[in-house]
Structures are given as C-alpha cells and as structure tokens.
Amino acid sequence: MDIKTLGELKASNYISLSVKDELRKNLIKQLQQKELGFEGILGYDETVIPELQTAILSRHNVLLLGLRGQAKTRIARLMVNLLDEYIPYVAGSEIFDDPLNPISWYAKNEIATKGDDTPILWQHRSERYTEKLATPDVTVADLIGDVDPIKAATLKLTYNDERVIHFGLIPRAHRGIFVINELPDLQARIQVALFNMLQEKDIQIRGFKLHLPLDIQFVFTANPEDYTNRGSIVTPLKDRIESQILTHYPKTVEISRKITFQEAKLTDEQRLIEVDGLVKDLIEQVAFEARKSEFIDQKSGVSARLTISAYENLISNAERRMLINHEKSTFVRLADLSGIIPAVTGKIELVYEGELEGPAKVAHTLIGKAIKHLFARYFPDPERAKKSKTANPYTKITEWFTEGNTIDIADDLKSDQYKKRLMDVEGLHELVQKFHPKLSENQTLLLMEFVLHGLAEFSQLSKNFLTGGFGFSDMFDSLFNVDLTDEDEDDFR
C-alpha cells in the first residue's frame, strides 16, 4: 500500500471498522452480488451456511457444534475471505493496533510522540487468522499472556506497568479471527478467563488487571461427545457465545461423492485409473452404513475422512496391481475393496459388540451391506427372484456353484486371469448382458463380479475373505465343509 504514515491515512479518509463490522460489510456485498461464499463446503447450502451468514450479519461470536469430520474448522478458515484484503496498523505494534483507534501502550505512545509521522504498515487478511487446538494443558499464559520478568528488569519497570506483559495468542489476534477447536477440552478456569475477555474486555494476569478492548471475531468448535466424555463448556461462556450452529454429515450419496473427489489427493498417474460410478457409490455407501451400524459408536461419529481415505486406498490398490503385473492400464475391481479395510478400521470407534466382532470383520460387514443396498439398482432382488413363479435369472449361476465349482478373485490377478475366472462361471456373462447390454468390457466384468458379491449378500452363495480378495462357493457346501477344531471332533465321537 502507498500510505506509509498516520497523516497520509487520515488524508485518505480511511474509515476504521471493527472486525465484526468488516465481516458484515463484505458479506452484505457478497450476498447482494450473489457471489458464492465458503467455496469447497458442500451439502450445507440450505442449513449451516445460511445460519452462519445470519450470525455474521448479527455480529455474533460463533460456536460450530458437530461430530468429527463435518468441516467445522474448514468453515472457520474460510471466514478469512470476508475480511478486507489489507488493513493498516501501527508499525512495531505487537497486537497490530488500529492507527485510528490504538489500545496498547506502545501504539498510544508512538502516536503521542510522532503524531502524523507515525509509521504505518499494512496487514494482509491471511495474517489475521489465529487457530488454537484446545488441550487440557493449555494455560492462561498461552492464550492471554503473562508477566515477563526479564522485560521488567531490562526496561527497569515495576510489575504495575502494562509494558511488562508478554501477550498471548488472543491479544495478538486483535482485529482478526480467533478460532479455538474442541472448546470443551479447555480447563474451566481457562474458559472463565475467555468469558472475562468477551464480557469485560479486560485482561487479568497474576493479579495484574489491564483494560484492553480487543477487537476479535471468536469462532469456537466443539463435538457433542465432548460434553460428557472429556469436558464441558462452562455455562457463563456458552451464554456469551451468541450463535450456536449445528453441523451434520452429507445427507445424500451424491453430495458425499463430491466431497470425496474434491478432497482425495491423487497423483496424475492415479487419475488415469478407471473407476466406475458403481464403485464410487459403494465407497460412499460404506460410510452411510457405518453411520447406522449397531457395532459403531454413533456418538463418536463417522468422519467424512473415512470415504476420502478409502477412495485413495482403493485407487492405490488398483495401481499396485498394475505395477506388479507390469500392465499399462487397469480399472478398479470389487476385489480392490479389500484394500480399503485399513481406512475403515482407522476411522471408526466400536462399541462393545463391535469389539467382540473385531474391527476388520465389522469393516467387511459394512462393505457387504453397502453392496446389498446398491444391488437392487442394477439387478432383480435375488430373494424375490427365487420365490417368483417366473424363471429365476440367477439359476444357472447358483447351479454352477452347486456342482462343486468355486472361484477366487484376488486383487492382484492379471487382466486376462481376472476375465477368464469370471467368464468360467456359467450364466454370469449372460445375466449381465441381459440387464446391461451396452456396457464396455471393463464395466461388464465389474458387474459380473458385483453379481457374485450380491448373491453372497443375499445368501445365495458363500463368500470367503481371502488375504487380498474374495472367494465364492456354494452356500450349502460351505456349511458342511467347515474345518472342525479338535473340540468339535470330540463332540462327534
């Protein structure tokens, strides 16, 4: 900026606004021009974003309350875009004092001493955002400040002089946005100190009381689970946070898919790997199944990061096969779903029943339920087909397995091996051609594999979990050919 002194700033007729008025002014302009704000935030157009805009127009401090992986921090960070691009401040000020409204001893002294020649610098909006993760070990000194005995000794000042204070994160966020993530994790006494700053506009450090009317837009985030498991927001502080906005998970698979593809970090080589829409929907459906599973702690939530990590793993699993087999191209198969297990098990909190089952088994169950849910979109319901008086389209396939045939589809099969094994199953290719005649070869093979998974989920076939893949066999053979333990054998003698 060209303006370098306080005198030049005054001559320019610059109008100083509080940070909340600044956010309000720019939001009004954005709404009037029908510009899209909060870009990259999907699924909140009719819920969270309007409520947040209302809070900004009301010049409120905000609490974003929701389970993990609901973009709370991302929303807070995007609020920076509603700030002016540059604002002036008194050069050398620790807390970026407004030249037209100084609050620190340093800035007041500079202006009193130098008048209109006081040097002015400009701060970009990206530097006006401060974020702190609340943990039980956060202290008042971290957030607000502390008395600095070395500074007092060096400047030969008494502890009654405000110049001996070393400012913490919040005073240094003056004229900006300050975000505290996971607010309930802060100790109650720290929350009370925050409340005092919000209400009284003063700082109390070790008996030192300083009236410092800080200009800050506070944004807090919290997880409802924290209220009972780890801590709580003290009532006086919660009462002073004017707007509480509830976040939520994507309500449709379509929105969830958009979020996954937006956030997934793929290399240029990985983007060339073919991924059918069926597989993409399956990944999202796994998360939806997890959010209603009896084995998973729903109070903890199932983060949107589950589908992002799972999608990245899925692509990488296909890429690994391509590299091992020295192939120039490949497409994602259902066998690659075995590669997403680490992404799923790392993102879910199990209840007691889930712990008994084991995280890997729960993950396989979620994948199975996702397949069963989507199967009806592509093929007739196998249970209804079995009871129907008309010809069962799955008869040839199930009879092939009844004759003792089995098929193993590992995730590292070469393309020709993968195709041959699926083609060996009588009636499988014929079934897919009947219901989906206009597909590419890769899509046809994928649906052939999908049929086997679907029949297994509807208890028409038996599915075994292999190390890196799946095996299919006749349902009744698998029941009668179970490996007996020594104890079981004794029972039969």
Side-chain angles (χ1 to χ4, degrees):
M1 302 298 288
D2 295 331
I3 296 172
K4 304 292 184 184
T5 65
L6 177 58
E8 292 174 4
L9 185 68
K10 289 177 180 177
S12 70
N13 296 320
Y14 177 82
I15 298 174
S16 180
L17 293 175
S18 71
V19 65
K20 290 179 179 176
D21 284 326
E22 194 181 320
L23 289 165
R24 173 184 160 83
K25 175 197 73 174
N26 291 322
L27 177 60
I28 289 171
K29 191 186 299 180
Q30 190 181 84
L31 292 173
Q32 287 175 337
Q33 294 174 356
K34 296 186 177 179
E35 295 175 358
L36 291 175
F38 300 95
E39 292 180 12
I41 302 297
L42 304 174
Y44 285 169
D45 293 345
E46 297 176 359
T47 51
V48 176
I49 299 304
E51 291 177 3
L52 181 60
Q53 290 171 336
T54 301
I56 293 171
L57 291 173
S58 299
R59 298 178 298 179
H60 285 177
N61 293 309
V62 176
L63 169 63
L64 295 169
L65 184 64
L67 297 172
R68 56 184 174 156
Q70 292 185 352
K72 300 186 293 294
T73 305
R74 171 74 70 86
I75 290 170
R77 289 172 181 169
L78 288 173
M79 284 179 66
V80 171
N81 295 331
L82 289 172
L83 294 171
D84 289 343
E85 188 172 8
Y86 287 95
I87 59 166
Y89 69 94
V90 176
S93 169
E94 285 184 89
I95 62 173
F96 304 100
D97 279 274
D98 182 351
L100 302 179
N101 186 26
I103 63 171
S104 71
W105 182 94
Y106 174 85
K108 289 176 181 176
N109 183 65
E110 280 284 286
I111 293 170
T113 305
K114 299 176 182 176
D116 286 349
D117 292 328
T118 304
I120 300 297
L121 294 176
W122 295 82
Q123 185 182 29
H124 190 260
R125 59 183 163 215
S126 61
E127 299 171 331
R128 298 172 63 195
Y129 177 87
T130 307
E131 183 177 306
K132 178 66 177 173
L133 175 63
T135 54
D137 62 342
V138 172
T139 64
V140 172
D142 294 333
L143 292 182
I144 298 172
D146 204 351
V147 173
D148 186 346
I150 297 174
K151 188 185 286 187
T154 304
L155 300 176
K156 297 180 180 179
L157 300 171
T158 67
Y159 285 166
N160 291 327
D161 195 310
E162 66 179 86
R163 285 175 286 174
V164 303
I165 293 178
H166 174 78
F167 290 117
L169 286 171
I170 293 178
R172 291 173 187 273
H174 178 49
R175 304 175 71 204
I177 297 170
F178 189 82
V179 178
I180 297 183
N181 284 318
E182 310 302 341
L183 180 60
D185 283 352
L186 274 187
Q187 293 181 40
R189 64 187 182 86
I190 313 295
Q191 292 188 39
V192 170
L194 278 176
F195 153 68
N196 200 58
M197 293 188 74
L198 284 169
Q199 182 69 18
E200 308 297 338
K201 300 288 186 184
D202 64 31
I203 290 177
Q204 292 185 16
I205 302 169
R206 299 182 185 275
F208 186 101
K209 187 172 181 179
L210 169 66
H211 186 69
L212 199 67
L214 293 170
D215 176 23
I216 297 173
Q217 168 69 55
F218 281 99
V219 180
F220 305 100
T221 75
N223 188 322
E225 182 195 19
D226 296 344
Y227 284 110
T228 53
N229 284 11
R230 297 204 295 266
S232 62
I233 302 175
V234 296
T235 306
L237 176 59
K238 193 177 179 186
D239 188 49
R240 294 309 188 283
I241 303 171
E242 298 94 338
S243 285
Q244 176 177 288
I245 298 170
L246 302 179
T247 58
H248 56 81
Y249 288 121
K251 295 183 177 180
T252 66
V253 168
E254 290 73 26
I255 292 172
S256 190
R257 256 176 77 163
K258 288 180 182 177
I259 294 171
T260 299
F261 304 144
Q262 174 182 281
E263 300 300 321
K265 294 179 177 63
L266 304 178
T267 65
D268 292 338
E269 296 91 343
Q270 289 176 327
R271 293 183 193 281
L272 298 176
I273 294 172
E274 182 183 332
V275 192
D276 191 75
L278 164 62
V279 182
K280 293 175 180 178
D281 283 348
L282 275 173
I283 290 289
E284 305 306 328
Q285 192 60 41
V286 167
F288 277 76
E289 295 297 334
R291 288 175 191 140
K292 59 185 180 183
S293 172
E294 63 204 18
F295 297 127
I296 293 171
D297 183 2
Q298 299 305 319
K299 290 180 181 177
S300 177
V302 178
S303 170
R305 298 182 190 95
L306 183 149
T307 54
I308 296 164
S309 298
Y311 185 68
E312 291 169 347
N313 271 13
L314 190 74
I315 300 295
S316 296
N317 206 66
E319 183 184 30
R320 176 179 172 274
R321 172 179 61 252
M322 184 175 69
L323 295 171
I324 289 172
N325 294 329
H326 303 289
E327 295 175 330
K328 292 183 178 179
S329 64
T330 191
F331 65 97
V332 175
R333 308 167 185 171
L334 291 194
D336 292 319
L337 289 172
S338 61
I340 76 168
I341 302 301
V344 177
T345 55
K347 296 287 188 295
I348 54 177
E349 296 289 333
L350 301 178
V351 295
Y352 178 70
E353 292 80 1
E355 295 287 357
L356 293 178
E357 292 288 322
K361 189 171 181 182
V362 170
H364 280 297
T365 301
L366 295 175
I367 292 170
K369 287 186 175 181
I371 290 170
K372 188 173 184 178
H373 180 89
L374 293 180
F375 194 76
R377 287 190 195 174
Y378 295 85
F379 298 100
D381 186 321
E383 290 177 349
R384 290 182 182 177
K386 196 173 183 180
K387 297 173 184 176
S388 175
K389 294 179 181 179
T390 57
N392 184 346
Y394 305 109
T395 301
K396 269 191 181 181
I397 300 169
T398 53
E399 285 181 351
W400 185 80
F401 284 98
T402 304
E403 291 169 3
N405 295 304
T406 62
I407 178 174
D408 290 345
I409 303 178
D411 61 2
D412 59 356
L413 283 178
K414 291 183 177 181
S415 297
D416 55 347
Q417 295 173 324
Y418 174 72
K419 180 179 178 180
K420 184 180 183 304
R421 291 194 187 184
L422 289 171
M423 288 295 188
D424 283 345
V425 181
E426 286 184 17
L428 188 55
H429 184 261
E430 181 185 326
L431 174 81
V432 174
Q433 284 291 301
K434 178 181 177 182
F435 292 100
H436 302 279
K438 297 180 180 180
L439 298 180
S440 67
E441 182 182 62
N442 288 347
Q443 289 176 314
T444 300
L445 291 172
L446 179 67
L447 281 187
M448 289 169 70
E449 190 183 3
F450 184 52
V451 169
L452 297 179
H453 281 270
L455 290 175
E457 294 306 323
F458 282 94
S459 303
Q460 309 287 307
L461 295 177
S462 174
K463 179 164 70 173
N464 307 308
F465 302 112
L466 309 175
T467 303
F470 302 91
F472 299 92
S473 59
D474 179 58
M475 194 72 189
F476 294 102
D477 276 353
S478 65
L479 290 174
F480 293 112
N481 291 322
V482 176
D483 291 333
L484 297 176
T485 63
D486 292 339
E487 290 181 5
D488 292 331
E489 288 176 353
D490 290 340
D491 292 338
F492 281 99
R493 286 172 187 161

